[in-house]
Amino acid sequence: MTTTEARPTDRKPPQLVDMSWDPITRIIGNLGIYTKIDFANREVVECHSTSSLFRGYSVFMKGKDPRDAGFITSRICGICGDNHTTCSDYAQQMAYGVKPPPLAEHIVNLGEAAEYMFDHTIFQDNLVFVDFCEAMVKATNPGVLARAERTEAPRGEIHGYRTIADIMKAFNPFEGEVYKEALKVSRVTREMFCLMEGRHVHPSTLYPGGVGTMPQPTVFTDYLSRLMRVIDFVKKAVAMNDDVFDFFYEALPGYEEVGRRRTLLGCWGAFQDPKVVDYRYETMNTWGKAMYVTPGIIVDGELVTNNLVDINLGLRIMLGSSYYEDWVNEQPFVTHDPLGNPIDMRHPWNQTTVPVPQKRDFDDKYSWVMSPRWFDQRTGDHLALDTGGGPLARLWSTALSGLVDTPYIKATGHSVRISLPKGDSLPETTLEWRIPQWSNTIERDRARPYFVAYAAAMALQFLEEAMGMVRAGETKVFENYEVPDEAIGCGFHEAVRGVLSHHLVIKDKKIANYHPYPPTPWNASPRDKFGTPGPYEDAVQGQPIFEENGPDDFKGVDIMRTVRSFDPCLPCGVHMYVGKGKTLTTLHSPTYGANHG
Amino acid sequence: MTTHSSTTEVSKEPERSEDRKGIDEITILWISEGMSCDGDTVSLTAADQPSIEDLVLGLIPGLPKVNLVNKVLSPSLGGEDFLAPYRAAVRDELGPFILVIEGSIPNQNIIEGDGYWTSFGNDPETGEPQTLNWWIDQLAPKAWAVVAAGTCATFGGIHAMSGNPTGCMGLADYLGWDYTSQAGLPIVNVPGCPIQPENFMETLIWVLYHAAGSAPPPPLDHMLRPQWLFGKTVHEGCDRGSYYEQANFAADYNSPKCLVKTGCWGPVVNCNVPKRGWMAGIGGCPNVGGICIGCTMPGFPDAFMPFMDEPPGSTLSSLVIKPYGAVVRRLRGMTNELVNHEPRWRHNKRKLTSGYDPHWRA
C-alpha cells in the first residue's frame, strides 16, 4: 500500500457531482483537475490530474552537442529554468570529469539562493495567497472571515497587522499592501539573481565547468546590499504566514485533513560545498551529504536514505496511464553504474520516449506525464514520492539528517534553526522550523516562507566565503575540459518546487540520451501500472470540503489550495493530450464571484 | 524612448477615420498555451519601468483603462470562470482587445486523426480540449492588435529546433506575415528568450498609446520587431566591444575581454540587452560574461549551435582586426602610461613652479 489510507467517516448516501477546473490559474503551465465530489459527505471521492502540452525535449536533444544541454534545458521552465541549467551542468561535469573552481560554485549557489527567494515569494504571496486573501475567504467561508476580523494576530508586533483579517486584506490581488510589496521584492531578488547568473529566467553566464560571471567585489557588494534590503520582509512573511495558517487550523477544526497524504517525501539536495564536491559518481554519497540542503527520502517520518547513489539506483519511470509505448525491449544505454551496481531498464538513463497518441480515458490512459516512482528495496514498493512543493521536503530532510551546521543554519534532527541578521526595522532573529505532524496543504505552504529565510541565511554564508576568496585573489571561475567520446553523467539538484535530476548519455561526443526529471512529473503523475495514484490525485482524493457554498455556487477553494500547495509547474511535466476525451457531465464550472483585479 | 515617429511600410495608418478615435477601455487577452515555458509572463512581472501593477492600476497617464487577463496572474479559480472573457471575445461581445500569444504554435496538420499538441480549456460542447490553434483562428481576426511575446511566439524558438516532433513555428508563420489586425496593425513581434522585461512593456505601452489615439503605430522592421529596440546589434551596445577593436579576445570564460572566440554571436545579433541590462540596468549577456547565443533571432537556436564554439564567421573578422588591434593597443598603452603621470609642479618644495604670474595679461 503506497497511498494514503482512506479516512473513516459516518457516511450518508452520496450526492456525487463531477467538477473540473481546466485551466488552473496562478500556476505555471497547463493543468486540469477533474474531480467527483460527494456533497452529502462533503468530500472529494475521486481526482485525476491531466495536462495538455507536449514539446519533446528528450526527443529533439538527441544528436546535439552535450555542452548545449544547459542552455536548452533552461527553456523547459520559465520560472526556474536556471535550476535546469545548474542541474545539467552538474550532470555534464560528471560526464566530462571536470570540477569548477570553488568561487564558481559559490556564484552558482548565490544565484540559486536568489532564485529560491524570488520564486517562493512571488508564488506564495501573489499566487497561493490569493486563495487565503480577504476577497476569496469572503466568497468561500464568510463565517471564517467574520471570525478573522475578531481574531487578533499573535505576531502583530513583527508584521504590524492587528487582526488576521487585516493580514488577509493585505493579500488582496493588485490592491493589498503585501501583494504589491511582494511583487517589488520579487524584483529585487531577481536583480540579485541577475548579478550572479546574468539574466532571469534563462541564465547567460552558467557553463559546464564554471561561470563567466566576473567576480569583482562590486558584484558581491551589489548582491549584499539588496539582500539586506529584503531581510525584514522575509522575517515578516514568516510571521504573517504562521498567523494565518495557525488561525485556519483553529477556525476550521479538521483542516489538517485538507491535502493530507502519507509522508512520502523526496529531496535531492541543493547548494554544493566547494570544499567537498568533485562531481565523481564514486564519491557522490560523500559530496551529496555535504550539500547545504541535505538529500533524503522520508517515508512515514523516517529517513530511509540520504545517499545520492541509493536515490539514483531507486529511480523508476513507470507507465500505466500515460500514452507511451514501453521501452523495456529496447537496448539499454547503461547496464551498470560506475560503481558496478546494475541499472534498471526503467531508470532514466535507459528511457526511450515513444509517444502513442490515443483517446483520453480516465479509466485507462489519460496523461502524457509518466509516473516517476522510487523503488523501496526494503518493501518492494514503488513509492509515489512527492516534494511537498519543495520547501517541505527540503526542510524535513535537512532537519532529520542533522548534518547542516553553519553560522546561520543548524539542523537539529527534529527542526531547522535559521538565524537572520538585524534589518532596518527588526532585530536579529532566529526562526525555528519544526517537523510538522502532517504532510498536508497548510504545512506545504507554511514551509515556503521558512525556506525563503533559509535561502537568505545561506546566501549570507556564501557571500562571506566568496568575498574571502576574491580578497585572497582566488578569482578563477572556469575550468577547461575536453568532451569525451563516450560518457554518462547524472545531476541532482533542487528545483524551486522540489527534486530535479538530469541523466545524460554521450556517444561520439553527441547526446545519445537525455532525460530531465523535474518535480512536477513526480507530483502531477497519473496512476501507475499498479494503480497507485500520483501525489496531486492522492492528496485531493478523500479530502474534506470546508467551503460553505453548495454545488450551485461551489468554487472549490479547498481543492485549489491543495493543488497549489505543491507549486505546480506544468511545462516541466512534458506531455500531451490526444484523442477524443470522455465527456464529463460537469454540472457547471466553478466561478469566482468577487470582481477583483 | 525613441524620437522615431515614422511609420513603416508594414504599419499602415488605418484608412477609416472611426478607427482612429481613441479607445478608453481595452482588454489584454494573454494566452501562454503555445508551447511555452511561461517565461515571458514571468519576465513581464520583472518589469519596473513601468510595472505590470502600474499598468493594471491605471498609474500611467494617457492610456486606456486596461483589463489584463493572464492565467498566471489571474485571481480567478480557473476553468470557465477564467475563460469567460476569451469566450466573450469569440462571440464578439468583449469590446476591443489585444491578443498576446506566448509560446510556439504547433502544426496541427501533421497529426493524423484526432489529436492536440497543446490546448487551452475544453470545448463546452464535447468536453474535449480546445486546441491553441482553434483559439488563434477564432481570436486573431477579431483582435484590435496582436502581440507575439518571446522568441517561441515570434519565430518558433527552441521547440522548433531541428529534430522536433511537433512541427511548430512562430505566430506570423501561422497567421501569415501579411496579417493585419482590426486596427490595421501587423503582428507586433517582441523576441527574446525570454523577453527582456522593459522591452516588452515599452512596446505594449506604445500599442496602448496608439489605442488611446495619442501615438502612431509602433515603428517595426521587416521582421515586425520594434525598430528602436532591435535596430542595433549586441556588439554595438556591449561593454566588451572595445576589447574586440583592440583584438583582445578571451580564451576562456575567466576573462573580462571579448567573448567572440568562446562562442559569442554578439556582432551579428539584433538585440539591445548589453546596453539596457536585464533588470534595472543589471545583468545581460556578453557584457557580464555570458556568450550571446542569438536568442532573439529568427535562426535561433540551430544557427548558433554548438553555442560554446567560435562562430565560423568571426574567425576571419577577428584575424583581419589583429594587426590593427595590436598597433592600436600598443599606442594606447603608451599614451595611457603618459597620462598616468601628474605634472611636475605638484610638490611641497619651497618654490612654486606652476607657472603662476599675477601680472599676466593676454
Side-chain angles (χ1 to χ4, degrees):
Chain A
M1 195 50 198
T2 62
T3 46
T4 306
E5 73 282 5
R7 302 164 176 85
T9 50
D10 304 327
R11 306 204 68 82
K12 301 182 185 119
Q15 178 203 348
L16 286 183
V17 182
D18 278 328
M19 290 248 169
S20 66
W21 294 261
D22 192 350
I24 301 249
T25 48
R26 281 180 279 122
I27 61 160
I28 301 294
N30 324 21
L31 172 67
I33 291 287
Y34 292 76
T35 63
K36 285 186 170 45
I37 298 175
D38 177 352
F39 277 93
N41 294 295
R42 301 198 67 74
E43 69 168 35
V44 184
V45 294
E46 195 180 86
C47 171
H48 290 84
S49 84
T50 179
S51 170
S52 53
L53 166 71
F54 176 77
R55 296 170 305 177
Y57 275 78
S58 56
V59 178
F60 58 65
M61 284 175 73
K62 281 180 196 275
K64 305 291 195 297
D65 189 313
R67 292 169 305 154
D68 289 348
F71 297 92
I72 295 169
T73 53
S74 178
R75 272 74 187 175
I76 289 174
C77 180
I79 194 159
C80 59
D82 58 284
N83 300 146
H84 283 278
T85 309
T86 301
C87 193
S88 177
D89 290 345
Y90 289 171
Q92 290 177 63
Q93 279 146 203
M94 182 181 288
Y96 310 154
V98 62
K99 172 180 161 48
L103 185 57
E105 292 294 356
H106 274 335
I107 287 172
V108 172
N109 285 342
L110 285 165
E112 296 303 88
E115 169 69 29
Y116 293 129
M117 290 178 71
F118 143 72
D119 194 332
H120 285 325
T121 299
I122 201 170
F123 184 73
Q124 185 82 346
D125 295 356
N126 302 112
L127 309 180
V128 164
F129 240 84
V130 174
D131 291 335
F132 295 93
C133 78
E134 181 234 15
M136 185 68 80
V137 177
K138 189 191 278 175
T140 52
N141 293 84
V144 172
L145 184 63
R147 183 173 172 157
E149 275 159 356
R150 300 190 306 269
T151 309
E152 211 151 299
R155 299 169 182 83
E157 79 285 354
I158 301 174
H159 54 64
Y161 291 100
R162 200 179 59 82
T163 67
I164 299 293
D166 290 341
I167 302 176
M168 290 174 173
K169 280 191 194 93
F171 282 98
N172 279 343
F174 287 105
E175 291 167 10
E177 243 178 347
V178 178
Y179 181 99
K180 287 195 279 195
E181 195 186 352
L183 277 175
K184 289 193 166 60
V185 168
S186 85
R187 288 176 196 128
V188 176
T189 44
R190 272 181 279 189
E191 287 169 16
M192 288 158 57
F193 178 91
C194 290
L195 286 162
M196 297 298 155
E197 300 194 22
R199 21 177 272 156
H200 194 271
V201 59
H202 303 315
S204 57
T205 59
L206 299 194
Y207 302 101
V211 299
T213 313
M214 284 298 102
Q216 285 145 336
T218 316
V219 166
F220 302 103
T221 308
D222 289 356
Y223 187 102
L224 176 61
S225 54
R226 283 172 176 75
L227 176 59
M228 292 316 295
R229 218 187 301 158
V230 299
I231 210 95
D232 281 353
F233 177 87
V234 174
K235 296 170 195 163
K236 286 178 191 164
V238 171
M240 280 189 283
N241 277 254
D242 275 339
D243 275 354
V244 170
F245 295 140
D246 291 350
F247 167 80
F248 258 80
Y249 281 147
E250 192 187 308
L252 294 169
Y255 213 84
E256 66 274 3
E257 288 301 316
V258 170
R260 186 179 67 80
R261 75 182 298 244
R262 187 182 164 198
T263 308
L264 295 166
L265 294 167
C267 166
W268 297 169
F271 298 138
Q272 303 289 0
D273 181 343
K275 293 185 293 296
V276 184
V277 67
D278 62 6
Y279 294 103
R280 289 170 58 241
Y281 188 91
E282 292 80 354
T283 52
M284 188 160 71
N285 285 342
T286 308
W287 54 261
K289 282 202 262 282
M291 283 178 170
Y292 291 108
V293 169
T294 318
I297 287 173
I298 300 142
V299 175
D300 300 329
E302 298 295 315
L303 182 70
V304 178
T305 180
N306 54 11
N307 285 325
L308 279 179
V309 171
D310 295 345
I311 288 173
N312 181 47
L313 291 174
L315 296 178
R316 297 288 182 275
I317 308 305
M318 310 295 290
L319 297 173
S321 308
S322 322
Y323 313 127
Y324 293 92
E325 204 173 278
D326 209 340
W327 58 86
V328 280
N329 300 324
E330 304 267 344
Q331 284 302 308
F333 288 95
V334 181
T335 55
H336 291 82
D337 74 358
L339 290 165
N341 301 302
I343 295 292
D344 195 90
M345 202 56 213
R346 303 220 142 274
H347 191 277
W349 263 329
N350 288 325
Q351 187 186 326
T352 304
T353 305
V354 189
V356 183
Q358 53 196 283
K359 284 185 181 179
R360 175 168 68 183
D361 179 351
F362 284 128
D363 299 324
D364 184 19
K365 307 275 190 285
Y366 62 92
S367 183
W368 278 92
V369 182
M370 297 189 188
S371 303
R373 299 289 184 258
W374 191 74
F375 180 67
D376 188 346
Q377 280 190 310
R378 306 167 310 161
T379 58
D381 285 337
H382 289 79
L383 299 174
L385 300 178
D386 73 80
T387 72
L392 187 69
R394 287 198 282 275
L395 291 167
W396 206 312
S397 171
T398 303
L400 273 183
S401 272
L403 293 169
V404 177
D405 183 1
T406 76
Y408 300 98
I409 306 267
K410 299 264 185 290
T412 66
H414 58 87
S415 71
V416 175
R417 284 199 204 105
I418 305 159
S419 300
L420 295 176
K422 185 162 94 69
D424 61 7
S425 65
L426 293 171
E428 185 181 351
T429 307
T430 297
L431 303 163
E432 186 164 22
W433 178 89
R434 292 177 188 82
I435 291 179
Q437 226 174 315
W438 312 281
S439 171
N440 67 5
T441 295
I442 293 244
E443 296 310 328
R444 279 176 217 115
D445 284 341
R446 185 200 302 270
R448 205 166 286 118
Y450 277 94
F451 196 79
V452 174
Y454 191 107
M458 282 314 314
L460 284 163
Q461 184 197 324
F462 299 142
L463 269 175
E464 286 162 17
E465 292 185 15
M467 290 195 287
M469 290 177 200
V470 170
R471 289 171 192 140
E474 295 165 33
T475 54
K476 196 174 178 196
V477 289
F478 178 77
E479 193 62 61
N480 227 331
Y481 49 86
E482 281 292 314
V483 176
D485 284 341
E486 293 203 358
I488 59 171
C490 59
F492 289 95
H493 185 37
E494 279 286 309
V496 176
R497 41 218 34 86
V499 299
L500 174 60
S501 59
H502 279 218
H503 284 82
L504 157 74
V505 180
I506 299 172
K507 282 194 174 140
D508 303 327
K509 294 191 192 298
K510 295 276 185 279
I511 294 172
N513 206 11
Y514 200 108
H515 283 281
Y517 268 93
T520 296
W522 286 89
N523 291 333
S525 63
R527 287 151 174 78
D528 61 25
K529 70 171 185 188
F530 304 111
T532 309
Y536 291 175
E537 300 178 331
D538 181 43
V540 170
Q541 232 161 247
Q543 83 162 41
I545 297 295
F546 284 88
E547 184 180 332
E548 291 166 36
N549 302 315
D552 295 336
D553 51 359
F554 187 67
K555 299 186 175 40
V557 70
D558 303 307
I559 296 170
M560 291 303 104
R561 282 176 187 147
T562 294
V563 171
R564 290 200 183 95
S565 71
F566 287 99
D567 198 341
C569 180
L570 270 294
C572 300
V574 185
H575 43 310
M576 127 177 97
Y577 165 65
V578 176
K580 287 202 187 310
K582 186 176 87 176
T583 305
L584 276 171
T585 49
T586 311
L587 280 192
H588 87 157
S589 275
T591 57
Y592 177 60
N595 197 1
H596 244 87
Chain B
M1 202 48 118
T2 179
T3 52
H4 271 293
S5 60
S6 63
T7 57
T8 62
E9 290 173 359
V10 284
S11 350
K12 297 191 296 288
E13 275 282 10
E15 302 293 325
R16 302 191 310 267
S17 61
E18 63 268 24
D19 286 345
R20 252 192 298 263
K21 278 210 295 276
I23 290 173
D24 47 23
E25 184 168 0
I26 197 161
T27 304
I28 295 172
L29 288 185
W30 190 298
I31 298 183
S32 61
E33 272 68 13
M35 293 164 165
S36 83
C37 65
D38 285 12
D40 302 305
T41 291
V42 174
S43 251
L44 170 85
T45 67
D48 201 25
Q49 305 178 101
S51 72
I52 190 69
E53 61 271 27
D54 291 348
L55 180 65
V56 170
L57 297 171
L59 298 182
I60 303 154
L63 293 188
K65 180 177 186 298
V66 173
N67 308 311
L68 172 72
V69 190
N70 171 297
K71 176 196 61 197
V72 177
L73 298 169
S74 167
S76 83
L77 283 156
E80 284 308 308
D81 171 36
F82 165 69
L83 290 171
Y86 298 88
R87 301 245 187 253
V90 169
R91 295 191 306 267
D92 255 335
E93 293 168 7
L94 183 71
F97 66 93
I98 295 172
L99 177 65
V100 180
I101 297 288
E102 177 176 359
S104 329
I105 317 300
N107 186 349
Q108 283 292 120
N109 298 327
I110 58 173
I111 299 181
E112 290 183 18
D114 297 325
Y116 313 88
W117 294 118
T118 173
S119 74
F120 183 52
N122 291 333
D123 180 333
E125 297 297 309
T126 64
E128 287 183 39
Q130 205 131 44
T131 63
L132 168 80
N133 307 63
W134 181 89
W135 284 104
I136 294 175
D137 295 346
Q138 292 291 319
L139 295 173
K142 301 184 169 94
W144 191 85
V146 174
V147 180
T151 301
C152 285
T154 52
F155 311 124
I158 280 275
H159 311 117
M161 78 163 71
S162 69
N164 80 78
T166 57
C168 59
M169 66 200 90
L171 187 61
D173 302 324
Y174 182 76
L175 288 175
W177 283 83
D178 54 355
Y179 162 92
T180 50
S181 70
Q182 285 290 320
L185 294 171
I187 297 169
V188 178
N189 276 340
V190 187
C193 188
I195 47 173
Q196 199 276 3
E198 261 85 40
N199 277 355
F200 184 82
M201 276 308 261
E202 200 169 83
T203 307
L204 185 65
I205 299 290
W206 189 315
V207 173
L208 288 166
Y209 277 127
H210 180 50
S214 57
L220 306 176
D221 70 10
H222 71 292
M223 295 307 279
L224 309 180
R225 298 170 287 204
Q227 284 175 355
W228 77 97
L229 300 172
F230 295 93
K232 295 189 178 64
T233 64
V234 166
H235 194 65
E236 283 162 347
C238 183
D239 299 4
R240 300 182 178 211
S242 46
Y243 283 107
Y244 185 105
E245 184 208 12
Q246 295 174 171
N248 216 345
F249 302 109
D252 68 23
Y253 306 105
N254 284 302
S255 162
K257 297 171 182 172
C258 175
L259 292 168
V260 81
K261 293 270 182 212
T262 53
C264 183
W265 283 79
V268 294
V269 168
N270 299 83
C271 175
N272 63 344
V273 159
K275 196 85 177 152
R276 194 167 207 171
W278 195 258
M279 290 176 72
I282 289 168
C285 302
N287 52 314
V288 294
I291 48 173
C292 170
I293 60 172
C295 80
T296 55
M297 298 299 278
F300 179 73
D302 307 75
F304 307 99
M305 287 163 74
F307 298 126
M308 287 166 72
D309 285 348
E310 183 181 7
S314 72
T315 322
L316 179 64
S317 49
S318 57
L319 190 71
V320 170
I321 201 159
K322 258 210 167 93
Y324 164 84
V327 171
V328 165
R329 202 176 349 150
R330 213 169 145 187
L331 292 173
R332 283 178 183 162
M334 285 154 64
T335 311
N336 177 255
E337 181 68 23
L338 207 65
V339 294
N340 260 310
H341 286 96
E342 287 182 44
R344 287 184 315 273
W345 56 80
R346 296 180 194 163
H347 54 73
N348 65 352
K349 297 185 181 116
R350 295 187 63 91
K351 191 172 161 48
L352 177 68
T353 57
S354 70
Y356 169 70
D357 175 0
H359 305 293
W360 187 80
R361 299 281 182 279

